[in-house]
């Protein structure tokens, strides 16, 4: 999420602003701050749950925060993972919710610098907004190709031999190997919607999330598609499922995630930017697993 600012109340502006990593002990305070100043649609309890990912990882912190006295005045959440990319183990840091109170805005860049000074990590920012995009570019980030199709979730009849599996036991039974590992790592992620599309004997594991556009919670986006060719063969069945099960009218399907969109879709005119920075990291190796998109249901 991009930087957001709010007004502090009752703070002594003469007291020094301290920067520190977010530890487990800080999560409650950080969650209350984000509820108050970034997104009040999520309760403090929801923010606290979202800040700690369900997968197992040796993370150095949950990001960084700014304190003035005992009060949190800025935060930058991070989600960490270890991924095998092109036969090499890479440590990924996903830059997430960035929020600094207005009177401490000048300290916001300290949070970004602290995050990026961590050695041995590649960095992804999957929801930068406003002036964060330009700042990231100055810090050496590159943009991903986020060409996106807007797919209407119409209640069209399913093709013969196409099924959508949604029960956890059905999903577990349909998956194996890496797909099953990904499902188990993400099944408790607060923003992730899981289903498996079966076309005959072939399966495609899909993770989606709810999205808001112009304040309307009528959208979903596809975050992970294990086999885009199978998804394409399924026709409109996956999108019908998102309409009937999750009441989403439109699905945002990025080409780099979902492949060729179904008929009746149209290209989004201004898709949201997503960015990455890493020595030798190629765009095709960047995905949306193990990230804030899975964990934070804003």
């Amino acid at each position: 999420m991009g930087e957001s600012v709010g007004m502090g109340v009752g703070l002594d502006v003469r007291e020094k602003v301290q920067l520190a990593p977010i530890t487990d002990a800080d999560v409650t305070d950080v969650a209350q701050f984000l509820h108050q100043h970034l997104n009040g649609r999520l309760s403090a309890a929801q923010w606290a749950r979202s800040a700690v990912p369900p997968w197992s990882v040796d993370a150095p912190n949950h990001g960084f925060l700014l304190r003035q006295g005992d009060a949190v005045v800025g935060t930058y959440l991070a989600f960490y993972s270890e991924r095998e990319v092109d036969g090499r183990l890479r440590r990924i840091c996903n830059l997430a919710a960035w929020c600094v109170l207005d009177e401490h805005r000048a300290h916001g860049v300290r949070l970004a610098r602290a995050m990026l000074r961590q050695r041995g990590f590649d960095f992804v920012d999957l929801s930068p907004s406003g002036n964060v995009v330009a700042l990231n570019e100055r810090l050496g980030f590159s943009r991903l190709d986020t060409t996106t199709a807007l797919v209407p979730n119409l209640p069209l009849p399913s093709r013969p031999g196409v099924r959508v599996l949604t029960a956890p036991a059905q999903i577990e039974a349909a998956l194996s190997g890496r797909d099953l590992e990904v499902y188990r790592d993400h099944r408790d992620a607060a923003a992730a919607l899981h289903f498996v599309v079966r076309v005959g004997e072939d399966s495609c594991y899909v993770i989606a999330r709810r999205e808001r556009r112009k304040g309307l919670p009528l959208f979903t986006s596809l975050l992970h598609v294990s086999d885009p060719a199978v998804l394409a063969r399924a026709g409109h069945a996956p999108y019908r499922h998102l309409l009937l099960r999750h009441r989403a009218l439109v699905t945002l399907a990025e080409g780099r995630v979902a492949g060729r969109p179904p008929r009746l879709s149209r290209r989004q005119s201004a898709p949201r930017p997503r960015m990455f920075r890493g020595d030798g990291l190629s765009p095709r190796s960047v995905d949306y697993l193990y990230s804030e998109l899975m964990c934070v249901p804003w």
Side-chain angles (χ1 to χ4, degrees):
M1 300 176 72
E3 183 178 17
S4 179
V5 296
M7 294 301 296
V9 178
L11 298 177
D12 184 348
V13 296
R14 296 168 298 179
E15 196 164 3
K16 188 174 181 180
V17 175
Q18 303 284 349
L19 182 144
I22 299 172
T23 67
D24 289 344
D26 298 312
V27 167
T28 298
D29 289 347
V30 167
Q32 183 61 47
F33 176 82
L34 292 170
H35 166 68
Q36 269 186 278
H37 298 290
L38 184 60
N39 190 330
R41 287 192 299 270
L42 298 187
S43 68
Q46 287 174 309
W47 270 115
R49 177 193 171 194
S50 297
V52 181
W55 54 84
S56 177
V57 62
D58 184 16
N61 51 62
H62 298 293
F64 289 85
L65 60 75
L66 299 169
R67 282 191 187 271
Q68 188 177 43
D70 292 332
V72 175
V73 299
T75 67
Y76 206 164
L77 283 185
F79 294 87
Y80 296 90
S81 61
E82 293 185 351
R83 312 289 304 281
E84 185 174 327
V85 179
D86 296 331
R88 172 185 168 189
L89 187 66
R90 305 192 75 127
R91 303 171 73 198
I92 309 294
C93 174
N94 167 214
L95 312 182
W98 187 7
C99 180
V100 183
L101 294 184
D102 205 20
E103 60 267 37
H104 298 291
R105 192 182 187 96
H107 293 278
V109 71
R110 294 174 62 196
L111 292 168
R113 287 174 177 163
M115 199 84 79
L116 296 175
R117 276 199 300 263
Q118 298 182 104
R119 294 185 177 180
F121 288 96
D122 301 311
F123 298 92
V124 295
D125 190 345
L126 302 179
S127 57
S129 60
N131 57 8
V132 177
V133 174
L135 174 62
N136 280 352
E137 289 177 332
R138 291 197 296 272
L139 293 171
F141 281 76
S142 300
R143 296 193 188 210
L144 294 169
D145 179 1
T146 56
T147 301
T148 300
L150 299 173
V151 185
N153 297 337
L154 301 175
L156 300 175
S158 296
R159 294 175 178 175
V162 175
R163 292 187 297 151
V164 176
L165 311 178
T166 60
Q170 291 179 315
I171 293 174
E172 289 239 4
L175 301 179
S176 61
R178 179 59 181 154
D179 287 341
L180 183 57
E181 182 181 347
V182 168
Y183 172 67
R184 289 174 173 169
D185 283 345
H186 291 84
R187 62 186 168 191
D188 295 322
L193 310 174
H194 306 272
F195 59 95
V196 170
V197 181
R198 294 293 300 268
V199 182
E201 298 300 316
D202 299 324
S203 296
C204 174
Y205 171 40
V206 180
I207 307 178
R209 63 169 283 126
R210 301 178 193 274
E211 296 280 359
R212 285 179 176 267
R213 290 294 186 272
K214 298 182 179 179
L216 299 176
L218 303 176
F219 300 81
T220 52
S221 62
L222 302 183
L223 301 180
H224 174 70
V225 175
S226 68
D227 193 330
V230 173
L231 183 73
R233 287 167 51 206
H236 225 79
Y239 307 98
R240 180 177 184 270
H241 160 73
L242 292 168
L243 171 68
L244 300 180
R245 181 71 174 262
H246 300 292
R247 299 182 180 180
L249 300 183
V250 176
T251 292
L252 293 88
E254 288 186 31
R256 66 188 309 274
V257 174
R260 177 173 56 85
R263 60 186 179 88
L264 305 180
S265 64
R266 65 178 179 84
R267 184 169 174 172
Q268 186 180 17
S269 59
R272 289 184 173 177
R274 307 195 196 277
M275 310 181 79
F276 73 101
R277 191 184 92 167
D279 184 22
L281 187 66
S282 67
R284 65 177 178 80
S285 300
V286 178
D287 60 32
Y288 307 148
L289 297 170
Y290 303 93
S291 74
E292 60 169 319
L293 299 181
M294 299 288 178
C295 294
V296 187
W298 64 77

